[in-house]
Amino acid sequence: MNIADRWRSAAGRLIYPAILALAFAANAKAETQDEHFLRIDTNRDGFVSYDEHSAALDTDFRAIDANGDDKLSVDEYAAYLARKTPHAPAAAMVSVARCFFKTVKPDNNGTLSHAEWKGFHDRTFKWLADGGDRMTLEQSKRVPPPDVIPRMVC
């Protein structure tokens, strides 16, 4: 492995958790991963079911889609992240948004449809839930491998 590959691997391990946390956290400024899990676990059974996950995704998508066109733009996603992390520089939120879009859709045209958004998160959910229809808090804290979510150095 050459130096560039080592750097990309190391950078990916450092950057990816931050991107994932920002991408999944509906209230990143104050909500911990545990709180996020508890918010989505609406029936309080200690598991996030696929239905609970799906409902949270739809709610988050509507909150991000500022113009209501059923597509997310990099600017909408960056603005959403900025609202949730008000002390972070706006340029950093744009960078995180662009990187997230590249991760979800490598040939990205600058938008994500609802189906693309949901497909990405559903694929992640299924891996975290070990192919099942519900996951525990501990399962939700794992980092999916590159074949589930590609590592991007943006």
Side-chain angles (χ1 to χ4, degrees), residues 22 81 88-97:
L22 287 171
L81 294 175
M93 296 300 95
V94 170
S95 180
V96 168

Side-chain angles (χ1 to χ4, degrees), residues 131-147:
D133 64 352
R134 65 185 197 164
M135 75 172 133
T136 65
L137 176 61
E138 281 309 307
Q139 286 173 311
S140 76
K141 293 180 178 182
R142 298 183 302 165
V143 176
D147 62 318

Side-chain angles (χ1 to χ4, degrees), residues 87-138:
H87 301 297
M93 296 300 95
V94 170
S95 180
V96 168
R98 282 187 184 136
C99 192
F100 176 69
F101 273 53
K102 285 181 187 177
T103 300
V104 174
K105 185 175 162 187
D107 62 343
N108 198 290
N109 61 357
T111 64
L112 291 177
S113 69
H114 188 266
E116 290 165 335
W117 166 264
K118 193 165 177 72
F120 171 82
H121 290 293
D122 284 353
R123 190 170 62 249
T124 305
F125 177 90
K126 287 295 184 189
W127 184 86
L128 291 170
D130 295 322
D133 64 352
R134 65 185 197 164
M135 75 172 133
T136 65
L137 176 61
E138 281 309 307

Side-chain angles (χ1 to χ4, degrees), residues 60-61 64-66 69-74 76-77 101 110-114 117:
D60 290 348
F61 188 91
I64 298 166
D65 184 18
D69 67 352
D70 207 33
K71 293 184 274 186
L72 302 182
S73 70
V74 169
E76 285 174 321
Y77 193 64
F101 273 53
T111 64
L112 291 177
S113 69
H114 188 266
W117 166 264

